[in-house]
Each structure stands twice: as structure tokens, then as C-alpha cells.
Amino acid sequence: MQHTLLQSHLPALSDMSTPFPHLFAPLDLGFTTLPNRLLMGSMHTGLEDQRDLSRLAAYFAARARGGVGLMVTGGIAPNRRGWLAPFSAKMTTTTEARRHRVVTDAVHAEGGKIAMQILHAGRYAMHPMLVAPSPLRAPISPFRPWEMSPRLIRETIRDFGRAAALAREAGYDGVEIMGSEGYLINQFIVPRTNKRTDEWGGSPENRFRFPLEVLRSVRQQAGDDFIVIFRLSMLDLVDDGSTWEEVVALAQAVEQAGANLLNTGIGWHEARIPTIATLVPRGAYAWVTARLRGAVRLPLIATNRINTPEKAEDILASGQADMVSLARPFLADPNFARKAREDRAAEINTCIACNQACLDRIFANKEASCLVNPRACRETLFPPSLPKPQHAGRRIAVVGAGPAGLSCAAELGEMGFEVHLFEASHELGGQFNLAKRIPGKEEFAETIRYFDVRLQKAGVQVHFGRYIDAEDLIAGAFETVVLATGVVPRRPAIPGIEHPCVLSYVDALRGTHSVGQRVAIVGAGGIGFDVAAFLTVPPYSDTMDYLREWGVDPTYVARGGLGTPMLVSTDRQVWLLQRTKGKMGARMGKTTGWAHRLALKNRGVQFWSGVEYQRIDDDGLHLIVNGQPQTLAVDNVIICAGQEPLRDLQLPLEAAGLHVYCIGGAHVAAELDAERAIEEGLRTAIALGQAAI
Ligand code: FAD
Ligand code: NAP
Ligand code: SF4
């Protein structure tokens, strides 16, 4: 099988009208040309598992309209055993292929290109029919897989080919073969999970046989003029993963076997190194892709934590890769590409890598969305712009410029209302101004920048520097007031809470009070964890700093690129406390909570759960732990015990006959997060818009 040879994938740099000429240089694949170097990487959203794919179609159509060069769907299984979970998406029949037409037609109508990812979950499957090269349970799975017989291996290879042919029939422009992140193909490649002694295991040649046969089957079934991306695990980050020499050898074999593009896979799902969380520096893994340059002629795609056009351009301009894959950033902003191209990068809604509304939801078996963009995956529910109400001249006051108020004010302004946004402090952002001070959460500043630009464009009038009261609003002749006044930190009724050593998390994070060397933190929710990080974790000075701390070895001395994590010493002694027994931070996100816990443990933070607070005095914090009285002789006790809503304006305003809407923390403080705050802002704006039509 001969695949079309590439002329050259060096950017022509013909388009100097954009500030990102490398990003917007076309990529010629021989039989087709991609308009730019932006790949929307595969992301499972939950929409692909639905019978009716019209919502998936609307989701991809919005991103195609936004100008991305090529998109890849979430993983679609080539057979039932390869399902991620029971009844998740598969491509095995012409009926299924026909159902995907709505997706490919919608994308093509917008001038876009889309490839279907073929993913066999192998031992990561969450159902009892799971199979793997060897019967070894994954540390993150409750199920032990069945060992694949040689016959089943052959059938599975054919199933990959059939899925590719059906993808073509469904109108896809190509497929991506998922060979990384620890899924079935990756399980064949490395000795960690492949203990076979037949022709499918043992030597590298035998371990590579399955991925290469899969690729040949795909190419043969789908034809030459069809994009085939191979996602190769270039850095496994698990014991007994690939050596660098094996990565190179397999990449060269993949090129020979007819792939068009080589995408980078970083880290298995079971790896204990965070690779996409917000604490990971931007572009921290581009060096991995760059290492392969020169070894193959295939265009190489760099991935992981590339969330701005500046970073993407930098990676391409410095020659580290030929294309960049961004996944979550396209959830956050479907128009990322268009805004970058038109020199409107400041308008991009930047993905802050929180994982809260995307990956964490998927792991909880819910549909994905995006914390900073509640429209993501709900394109049919929330249209991109809201209709202009007929009585749009009406004045609306929004009080509070935290995430809830910002979201609501921006939407209302764009709908044509006369919006006045009142903020007591001198800056937009509310609690995000505290969040952005946490080492590794600096990205939160981007959300504030995004809303700032949006408010200016929408003509929202912002009034800073004064706590607005009910009289102001009544005198201002506002008919409608949106209260987005947020929360006040809870002050638990611990005897001695008035002691001068007691600080709130606001005092500690704002730096208005200095914090001593020995600190007890009361409350181990997200904010308690963040305060512990603030007190013990220095921000990374560069990518190497992060790689060293987590034990990533760029020299690949050991298989899988695993090195020894470097313990970072801290002079501070910190105790993180909660009353509930059991795991600390249990409500934190599934995909990031473990990393927060590990980072703090590495810095010697003590986790005490099941404590009873007795009192605070000059000797410190007195508590009962496991039935025994203890005294923590600390310099400070920092209270992170949740919040109460702040909505003291509601009653007087309602009494004066104004329409009052409470959103975000002002509505309900319990279990408040920014996702809910921003979504409530949008929903309230829609309700007000509909009322004004
Ligand atoms: P707020 O952000 O509290 O904003 C309310 C605003 O109203 C404030 O700016 C206040 O000054 C203003 N205001 C109040 N009264 C008046 C008045 N009378 N007149 C004028 N202005 C007034 N959430 C997450 O989802 N993920 C995270 O990782 C995360 N990390 C966090 C880390 C820290 C350190 C903190 C403190 C919070 C974090 N949060 C996180 C929580 C998130 O910031 C809140 O859920 C969110 O800010 C709530 O938004 P809001 O708009 O309801 O209220
Ligand atoms: P939280 O998650 O509700 O945690 C509050 C903590 O205080 C709990 O550990 C609770 O544990 C303790 N507590 C509650 N009442 C108490 C009392 N009366 N006395 C002593 N302790 C008490 O709230 P938060 O940490 O303030 O965070 C606020 C919101 O911000 C959360 O909803 C969270 O989603 C969001 N946030 C998220 C992240 C993130 O990384 N995803 C980071 C920061 C904030 P016990 O009752 O067991 O003692
Ligand atoms: Fe990015 Fe967070 Fe949105 Fe996911 S939820 S796309 S990580 S901003």
C-alpha cells in the first residue's frame, strides 16, 4: 500500500495578515490540504453516545464555523468489547454509519474537516467484557480483563479496518487510531501490560505487530485518499513503558505503514503525574514531539496544555512540531481559530485547565460542558447569541463583578440592554482574584481578561469602588436588579475564634496579614487545599521545574520516561483539618483531586480528618483527634470552612417593588463553584431577555 508522499510540511507563511503566520499556514497532505495547523483533539463529551447525534452535529458545526483546521471526534469503539462503557459509541454497522451523516454533513456545510477516532478501551473498559493482551487489571479499573486469543486479535484488527471503512461511508474525512493513553493498542506496545509469549508479545517487533496490523487494516479498508492520524504514546509515564528507542522505531514503522499524521500521546490514564491539569505549565510537553523531529518525515502534532494562540505559534515557529492539538480550548471557545486569525486573541475565552465541567463530568458519567463556557455541548439549548429584546433599552443593574455577575452582565449587554455593573472593589473577577494567586491557578486571570474585553465590546457601564446599597439602586431608577454579590466566608462557632492568630482565607490570600511558619487550616474543601498550596508551593519557575518535581525524565533513562520525583522542601509546617472522617478533599475533581493531595503530601502537609475543634487560645488550636485531646502549637489558624450567601439587598429592593434575581453565591453558597455561577449568569440573562420580548 502506497500512501501519498508529502511535498513539504514547512509553512509557506503566505498569510502575514495574521499575527500567527505559522499557525495559519495550510498543511498539504498530498490528496487534501488542511487550512491551518490547528487540530481539535479528541474529547469524549457524552454526546457521541446518544442515539440522535444532532447535538453532536451542532457542537462540531460550531467549531467548524470557528475555523479550526481539522477536528477529531471522541473515541468510537470498533466493536463491543472495545466499548469504554456499556452501550457507548461504536462503529460496526452501516446503520451506525448512516446516523453519523448528520455530523459530517453539518461540519462540511461549515467548510470544516472531521476525523473519527477509533478507540478500543482494552483493559480500561468499564464493563465485564473487557479484553487485553494479558489478563492484568489496571490500577484505575475494578475489572480484570480477559486475555485476547490470537483469533480475537485478528478479528479486532479487522474490526478496526471495518470501522475506518464505515467512517468513510459516514462522510468522515479521516480517522485517528488511538494508540496512546494506555488504551488497547498502547497495552500491546509496552512490556508493562503485554506479557505474551506468542507472536504478539516479547520483542519490540512482536509488541508493535498489533498497532501496525491495525494501521494497515485501516489504510487498506479506507483507501489512500483518507486522512489517517496515528496517536502514538511518546511518553508513557508509567513503569515498563516504552524506551525512547522503541518510540522512534514504532514511529518509523507507523510512517511506513501509511499514516498521514503522527499525533503525540502523553501519559497513561493510570500515570500519577498530572499532564493536563492547570498546574502543568503551558506547552510543557512540546519537547517530546520535538525530540522525534528528523526521525520521521510525517507531520508531527504537539499536544497538552496548549491553550493560547501565542503558545501554539511559538511551538510551530520554533520548529517543535508541524501542527498543534488543542482539545479543551475548543470547548471553552469554538471561535478560537477565527479570533486568533483576525488578531482578536484578547477575545478568546481561554481554557483554564480546571477539568471541572469537562473531564470530571465525563468521569461521573455526565455530559461534558465547560466551566467558562456553559454553551459548550449545549449548542442547541443556548444559541451563540441571544435575540435582541424589543424593550432592550431597559436599564438593568448587576451588582457584583464575580463570575456570576460578569457572565450575566456580558450577555445582557450583548442583547442590547443598558447594563450597569456595580463592583465594590477596584477590579473585576470577585473570588477569581483570590484563585489566580494560588500557584498553578494563574490561568484564572484569563477568565477575568476575557470578560473584561467582552464587557467593553458590549458597552456595559462598570462602576467600581463602592458597596452599592438598596437606596442607590432605587434612586437609580432600575426596574430590575441582578444580585451577584457572592458570599461571605463562614466563621465557625469555635471558642476563641476572635483570637488574633485566626485569619480568614481572604486575609491570608490577599496578603493583608502575614502568616507564620506553623499553620492550622480549618476546613479541607477546595479552598483549604488551595490555601495549603499557597503557603507551601512555590510557583514553577519553568517547565523543567515542573518536570523535576513530578519525576518526568526528559532523557528517558528509564522506560516510560519516569524519573524520581524531587521533594520540594518548605520551611512551613501546615496541618489541613476536617471534621468528616475519611479521605480529605473527597469532593474535589476526580481528575485533579489526587494531584492536589499528592502535591501537598510531597511538601509535608499533614492531613488530619475526623477532628473535633475545641478552642483557640495563646497555646494554639486545641482539638480532639481519634478520641485524644491534642494541641497544635501554631502561629495562625486559617479558616476555610465554607461560605454563606451575601444577599442583604434582596429584601429592601423587593419591598420597593424592584424585580430581583439572585445568582451565583448570592443565590446559594453551598457547593457553589464557578461553573454554576457562570451558568446562572447566562440562564438569568436569557430569562430577562425572554421577558423583554
Ligand atoms: P464572587 O466571586 O464572590 O463575586 C461577588 C462580587 O460581588 C465580589 O467582587 C464583591 O466585591 C461584589 N459585591 C458584593 N457585594 C457588593 C455590593 N453591595 N456592591 C458592589 N459589589 C458587591 N471555583 C471553582 O469552580 N473552581 C476553582 O478552582 C475555584 N478555586 C477557588 C479558589 C479560591 C482561593 C477561591 C476563594 C474561590 C475559588 N473558587 C473556585 C470559587 C469561585 O471563585 C466562586 O464559586 C465564584 O467566584 C462565585 O462567583 P460569584 O460571582 O457568585 O461571587
Ligand atoms: P467547601 O468545599 O464546602 O469546604 C468547606 C470545608 O469546611 C469542608 O472541609 C468542611 O469540612 C469544613 N466546614 C464546613 N462547615 C464548618 C464549620 N462550621 N466548622 C468547621 N469546619 C467546617 O468550601 P470551600 O473550600 O470554601 O470552597 C468553596 C467552593 O469553591 C466549593 O464549592 C468548591 O467547589 C469551589 N472550589 C473548587 C476548587 C477546585 O479545585 N475545584 C478549589 C477551590 C474552591 P468538615 O465539615 O468535614 O469539617
Ligand atoms: Fe477548560 Fe475547565 Fe472548560 Fe474543561 S471545564 S474546557 S478544563 S475551562
Side-chain angles (χ1 to χ4, degrees):
M1 171 85 38
Q2 180 75 42
H3 80 277
T4 314
L5 277 180
L6 300 167
Q7 300 288 316
S8 157
H9 26 271
L10 287 176
L13 298 195
S14 51
D15 187 356
M16 298 308 283
S17 63
T18 164
F20 308 108
H22 293 84
L23 198 51
F24 290 98
L27 181 62
D28 183 1
L29 297 179
F31 58 91
T32 188
T33 299
L34 305 180
N36 56 55
R37 307 297 175 114
L38 275 164
L39 178 87
M40 176 174 156
S42 173
M43 255 179 309
H44 200 74
T45 60
L47 300 182
E48 48 287 275
D49 301 331
Q50 298 177 355
R51 219 186 139 64
D52 175 2
L53 295 180
S54 52
R55 288 183 56 204
L56 187 67
Y59 161 76
F60 278 122
R63 272 100 197 139
R65 205 175 306 131
V68 58
L70 176 64
M71 301 181 289
V72 183
T73 66
I76 312 277
N79 56 31
R80 278 201 174 80
R81 286 196 177 82
W83 269 340
L84 274 165
F87 307 107
S88 58
K90 64 181 175 62
M91 182 63 88
T92 57
T93 63
T94 48
T95 311
E96 285 164 348
R98 266 199 302 277
R99 283 203 291 115
H100 281 252
R101 265 281 166 199
V102 62
V103 176
T104 54
D105 285 349
V107 168
H108 294 151
E110 298 292 349
K113 284 188 166 45
I114 184 163
M116 186 190 90
Q117 188 186 68
I118 314 178
L119 180 150
H120 191 303
R123 71 176 193 161
Y124 280 167
M126 287 296 157
H127 56 74
M129 290 188 306
L130 74 174
V131 294
S134 301
L136 303 168
R137 188 175 67 81
I140 54 171
S141 169
F143 302 113
R144 185 167 179 262
W146 301 91
E147 181 172 292
M148 291 172 84
S149 66
R151 184 169 160 197
L152 183 61
I153 292 174
R154 289 275 170 213
E155 277 172 21
T156 306
I157 290 166
R158 278 198 297 275
D159 292 345
F160 268 93
R162 180 187 57 193
L166 289 169
R168 186 176 183 130
E169 197 178 315
Y172 284 103
D173 301 281
V175 290
E176 177 173 77
I177 300 172
M178 181 42 150
S180 64
E181 326 302 290
Y183 291 112
L184 182 73
I185 291 179
N186 212 172
Q187 291 159 27
F188 268 95
I189 293 170
V190 301
R192 174 185 181 82
T193 40
N194 185 344
K195 307 288 182 194
R196 301 179 73 97
T197 52
D198 59 6
E199 61 173 331
W200 302 100
S203 66
E205 193 191 16
N206 283 357
R207 285 183 275 118
F208 298 169
R209 197 179 308 282
F210 183 73
L212 295 175
E213 290 289 316
V214 162
L215 176 51
R216 288 187 194 106
S217 170
V218 162
R219 180 54 84 199
Q220 193 183 12
Q221 297 273 335
D224 282 354
D225 54 346
F226 193 61
I227 302 169
V228 177
I229 311 165
F230 191 92
R231 185 138 179 222
L232 175 68
S233 186
M234 298 191 197
L235 182 71
D236 295 312
L237 297 179
V238 288
D239 286 325
D240 276 339
S242 294
T243 62
W244 181 251
E245 292 68 31
E246 287 173 346
V247 170
V248 173
L250 182 53
Q252 289 169 340
V254 161
E255 178 166 40
Q256 283 297 313
N260 303 106
L261 292 161
L262 199 56
N263 198 358
T264 307
I266 301 288
W268 288 35
H269 288 317
E270 67 204 59
R272 291 295 87 179
I273 295 170
T275 55
I276 58 167
T278 188
L279 65 83
V280 178
R282 288 179 183 171
Y285 286 98
W287 59 270
V288 181
T289 317
R291 223 169 182 261
L292 202 58
R293 300 281 284 190
V296 288
R297 294 182 56 229
L298 280 180
L300 298 175
I301 307 173
T303 59
N304 284 52
R305 282 291 281 125
I306 305 168
N307 66 339
T308 63
E310 290 81 5
K311 180 47 78 181
E313 175 73 9
D314 182 37
I315 289 169
L316 297 172
S318 61
Q320 290 180 294
D322 304 293
M323 251 186 122
V324 282
S325 170
L326 291 69
R328 299 169 297 169
F330 286 104
L331 272 183
D333 197 331
N335 294 312
F336 182 103
R338 171 158 305 142
K339 288 175 182 175
R341 182 178 193 116
E342 293 172 359
D343 199 6
R344 296 191 289 127
E347 291 176 36
I348 291 176
N349 194 359
T350 306
C351 165
I352 59 174
C354 64
N355 284 359
Q356 281 177 240
C358 51
L359 285 171
D360 285 341
R361 273 167 167 272
I362 286 296
F363 278 90
N365 279 326
K366 295 181 185 158
E367 277 175 19
S369 185
C370 171
L371 179 141
V372 298
N373 174 22
R375 287 183 166 89
C377 303
R378 297 141 171 191
E379 287 71 17
T380 50
L381 183 64
F382 301 131
S385 57
L386 301 171
K388 300 239 180 282
Q390 287 171 0
H391 312 294
R394 256 178 19 172
R395 283 154 56 83
I396 295 188
V398 178
V399 187
L406 289 173
S407 156
C408 193
E411 298 289 345
L412 289 170
E414 284 159 6
M415 285 158 74
F417 284 100
E418 182 188 325
V419 185
H420 293 260
L421 175 60
F422 298 96
E423 169 53 47
S425 74
H426 291 277
E427 55 188 359
L428 301 175
Q431 293 178 62
F432 266 32
N433 289 303
L434 298 177
K436 74 183 187 194
R437 291 170 186 244
I438 310 298
K441 287 178 91 159
E442 296 83 359
E443 294 282 7
F444 282 57
E446 298 293 350
T447 305
I448 304 176
R449 180 263 310 147
Y450 161 75
F451 277 116
D452 189 1
V453 174
R454 238 181 110 183
L455 293 181
Q456 288 178 39
K457 280 197 78 181
V460 171
Q461 300 178 46
V462 186
H463 310 272
F464 284 118
R466 197 160 73 83
Y467 266 93
I468 202 86
D469 58 27
E471 285 73 44
D472 296 325
L473 295 163
I474 295 161
F478 293 103
E479 270 177 47
T480 302
V481 176
V482 179
L483 284 184
T485 40
V487 292
V488 280
R490 181 180 290 128
R491 236 173 134 66
I494 304 171
I497 190 83
E498 307 297 339
H499 193 277
C501 77
V502 177
L503 303 177
S504 82
Y505 63 83
V506 180
D507 303 326
L509 294 177
R510 283 233 175 97
T512 47
H513 294 69
S514 62
V515 179
Q517 294 302 95
R518 291 167 58 85
V519 181
I521 298 176
V522 168
I527 291 181
F529 267 77
D530 275 355
V531 169
F534 179 77
L535 295 176
T536 58
V537 181
Y540 298 126
S541 54
D542 57 19
T543 294
M544 276 314 294
D545 218 11
Y546 149 79
L547 297 176
R548 267 193 300 269
E549 178 179 344
W550 288 94
V552 180
D553 174 16
T555 63
Y556 282 77
V557 171
R559 280 186 169 276
L562 271 190
T564 311
M566 195 181 75
L567 289 183
V568 183
S569 60
T570 164
D571 294 340
R572 264 212 182 93
Q573 260 189 298
V574 174
W575 286 263
L576 187 55
L577 310 169
Q578 72 177 25
R579 298 170 305 176
T580 312
K581 291 196 169 92
K583 194 167 158 188
M584 307 287 282
R587 272 192 33 229
M588 284 200 304
K590 177 126 181 154
T591 61
T592 52
W594 62 270
H596 291 304
R597 272 188 289 274
L598 198 53
L600 294 186
K601 271 191 184 144
N602 287 345
R603 284 172 172 80
V605 172
Q606 300 280 319
F607 291 177
W608 289 6
S609 62
V611 306
E612 222 178 286
Y613 305 113
Q614 295 287 288
R615 65 182 189 284
I616 301 164
D617 59 23
D618 290 347
D619 294 331
L621 174 63
H622 302 266
L623 20 76
I624 296 189
V625 189
N626 297 327
Q628 299 296 314
Q630 294 234 20
T631 301
L632 284 176
V634 290
D635 305 313
N636 291 107
V637 176
I638 302 182
I639 306 296
C640 304
Q643 297 97 11
E644 309 284 354
L646 176 60
R647 49 164 184 255
D648 49 345
L649 301 183
Q650 183 181 10
L651 290 181
L653 290 176
E654 283 176 349
L658 275 69
H659 300 290
V660 181
Y661 295 76
C662 289
I663 61 172
H667 176 209
V668 180
E671 302 196 7
L672 168 72
D673 62 10
E675 180 190 351
R676 171 155 73 75
I678 292 175
E679 186 176 331
E680 282 185 12
L682 171 62
R683 285 184 184 274
T684 303
I686 291 174
L688 285 169
Q690 280 166 350
I693 285 175

